[in-house]
């Protein structure tokens, strides 16, 4: 009798969980939920669609009429994009070089934390060593540190290095021009690692224990297990975090402005768009074209990884 009671309780709990999950799924698949989803999608899509329409309208049209009048008097031009991307006038935007800067900042700032966090999450989940749990708690606690609180110490670290008792432990970085990209990569990697390790650890720790033990019995080392078993299984989680990190870094203004500067050699799109909005706020045809240039890449990234993103959000939420 003593062994049967926990089994019955566990079965009852599992049945109750399954019932609640089925009830939630039924509500999400109802006509009301579908209608609400369509309305939300329209509310979010219409402004973006209006931005696209405005970006291809002539200057006189965009300044005198609303974008919705395009359908009654359609006039189409790509001159706005030509001006903001390749014009020789500094007031027109010259976004092409800033676009390249954004790519140079964003891609490494996504790949570095993904690689380091995946390795750290695997070690914290499947390698036993002293203090592992406390280390994981410390990494998790770093998420509560506001980004703004770390900017000044990090900037001082780059400019003066680290000195202890008069001894220079780490020298100043002394980077110039495009070399400052390394500072931005370092900053974004540091800020992203706590959340990335926490997220990936949750996925990796839920992998079947029997699978890991079978691999060890076959003689697989930790690097081989990580490369051949773990990485393919956590692809949705990597994609989910990659999308979040990509959107965050691509849309970032503060970190890039502080650590890379505002020059055309290192500044990303966000810095230039802020300057255009402040100094050329009446040039709506250029602002709309520039804004749509800045959202094209995130849209492509999200749409191309959407199926992995959804799987990454749902993986591990329901067992069985």
């Amino acid at each position: 009798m003593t062994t049967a009671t926990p089994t019955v309780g566990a079965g009852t709990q599992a049945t109750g969980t399954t019932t609640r999950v089925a009830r939630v799924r039924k509500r999400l698949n109802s006509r009301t939920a579908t209608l609400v989803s369509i309305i939300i999608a329209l509310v979010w899509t219409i402004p973006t669609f209006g931005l696209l329409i405005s970006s291809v309208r002539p200057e006189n049209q965009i300044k005198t009429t609303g974008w919705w009048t395009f359908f009654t008097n359609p006039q189409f031009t790509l001159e706005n994009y030509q001006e903001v991307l390749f014009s020789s006038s500094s007031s027109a935007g010259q976004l092409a070089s800033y676009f390249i800067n954004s790519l140079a900042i964003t891609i490494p700032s996504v790949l570095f934390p993904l690689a380091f966090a995946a390795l750290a999450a695997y070690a914290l989940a499947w390698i036993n060593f002293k203090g592992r749990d406390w280390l994981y708690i410390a990494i998790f606690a770093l998420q509560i540190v506001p980004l703004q609180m770390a900017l000044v110490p990090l900037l001082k670290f780059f400019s003066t290095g680290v000195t202890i008792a008069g001894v220079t432990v780490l020298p100043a970085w002394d980077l110039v021009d495009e070399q400052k990209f390394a500072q931005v990569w370092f900053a974004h990697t540091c800020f992203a690692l706590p959340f990335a390790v926490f997220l990936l650890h949750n996925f990796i720790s839920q992998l079947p224990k029997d699978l890991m033990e079978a691999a060890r019995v076959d003689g697989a080392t930790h690097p081989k297990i990580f490369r051949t078993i773990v990485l393919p299984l956590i692809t949705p989680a990597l994609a989910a975090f990659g999308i979040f990190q990509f959107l965050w870094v691509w849309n970032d203004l503060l970190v890039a402005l502080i650590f890379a500067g505002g020059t055309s050699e290192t500044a990303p799109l966000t810095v230039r768009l802020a300057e255009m909005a402040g100094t050329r706020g009446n040039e709506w045809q250029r602002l709309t074209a520039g804004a749509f240039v800045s959202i094209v890449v995130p849209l492509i990234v999200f749409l191309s990884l959407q199926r992995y993103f959804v799987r990454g959000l749902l993986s591990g939420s329901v067992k069985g």
Side-chain angles (χ1 to χ4, degrees):
M1 295 298 293
T2 55
T3 58
T5 302
T7 304
V8 173
T12 304
Q13 183 179 3
T15 303
T17 302
T18 304
T19 304
R20 287 193 296 269
V21 171
R23 190 161 52 245
V24 171
R25 287 179 176 175
K26 184 177 180 180
R27 290 179 180 177
L28 292 177
N29 291 328
S30 64
R31 293 183 178 179
T32 302
T34 302
L35 179 61
V36 172
S37 300
I38 293 175
I39 294 175
I40 294 175
L42 288 175
V43 169
W44 279 95
T45 304
I46 289 176
T48 305
F49 181 72
L51 183 69
L52 174 61
I53 294 298
S54 297
S55 67
V56 295
R57 300 181 70 201
E59 179 180 355
N60 62 327
Q61 290 290 318
I62 193 176
K63 288 184 177 181
T64 56
T65 59
W67 64 267
W68 50 89
T69 60
F70 172 82
F71 302 100
T72 59
N73 182 25
Q75 296 187 33
F76 180 84
T77 180
L78 292 178
E79 183 179 351
N80 301 333
Y81 287 94
Q82 175 68 26
E83 287 186 2
V84 299
L85 287 173
F86 307 111
S87 175
S88 58
S89 173
S90 59
S91 63
Q94 298 179 329
L95 294 184
S97 60
Y98 294 89
F99 185 88
I100 301 300
N101 293 342
S102 288
L103 289 176
I105 289 173
T106 304
I107 294 176
S109 297
V110 173
L111 296 180
F112 287 152
L114 270 178
F116 295 146
L119 292 169
Y122 173 80
L124 293 171
W126 293 104
I127 299 178
N128 293 320
F129 57 89
K130 188 176 181 179
R132 182 185 66 175
D133 294 338
W134 287 107
L135 179 60
Y136 176 69
I137 293 173
I139 293 175
F140 175 80
L142 288 174
Q143 296 183 70
I144 67 175
V145 178
L147 182 151
Q148 294 80 2
M149 296 293 294
L151 293 179
V152 173
L154 198 55
L155 185 61
K156 185 178 180 181
F157 167 71
F158 291 142
S159 59
T160 63
V162 178
T163 303
I164 299 178
V167 178
T168 301
V169 179
L170 291 174
W173 287 37
D174 294 329
L175 303 180
V176 295
D177 298 332
E178 289 83 356
Q179 296 176 350
K180 291 185 177 180
F181 285 146
Q183 297 182 165
V184 188
W185 300 338
F186 186 89
H188 279 302
T189 300
C190 291
F191 298 144
L193 276 177
F195 176 70
V197 172
F198 170 71
L199 178 66
L200 296 179
H201 176 271
N202 290 342
F203 283 86
I204 295 176
S205 62
Q206 291 181 9
L207 296 178
K209 186 177 181 180
D210 295 341
L211 182 64
M212 300 297 182
E213 292 178 350
R216 293 193 188 99
V217 170
D218 290 339
T221 60
H222 283 297
K224 187 173 182 179
I225 294 174
F226 177 78
R227 184 179 66 256
T228 61
I229 297 177
V230 174
L231 277 182
L233 293 176
I234 65 170
T235 298
L238 294 174
F241 173 76
I243 290 176
F244 280 125
Q245 179 69 358
F246 188 96
L247 295 178
W248 164 255
V249 177
W250 184 268
N251 294 322
D252 169 71
L253 171 64
L254 181 62
V255 175
L257 184 61
I258 290 176
F259 296 115
T263 63
S264 59
E265 289 79 11
T266 56
L269 270 173
T270 50
V271 173
R272 186 54 179 161
L273 288 175
E275 294 175 352
M276 291 176 61
T279 60
R280 307 290 295 181
N282 61 332
E283 300 293 338
W284 295 106
Q285 77 284 359
R286 295 174 180 173
L287 290 176
T288 53
F292 201 81
V293 167
S294 70
I295 69 174
V296 165
V297 173
L299 282 176
I300 294 175
V301 170
F302 177 79
L303 293 176
S304 61
L305 299 177
Q306 183 180 15
R307 60 192 181 98
Y308 295 108
F309 179 71
V310 174
R311 287 170 54 193
L313 293 179
L314 297 178
S315 296
S317 61
V318 179
K319 295 183 179 179

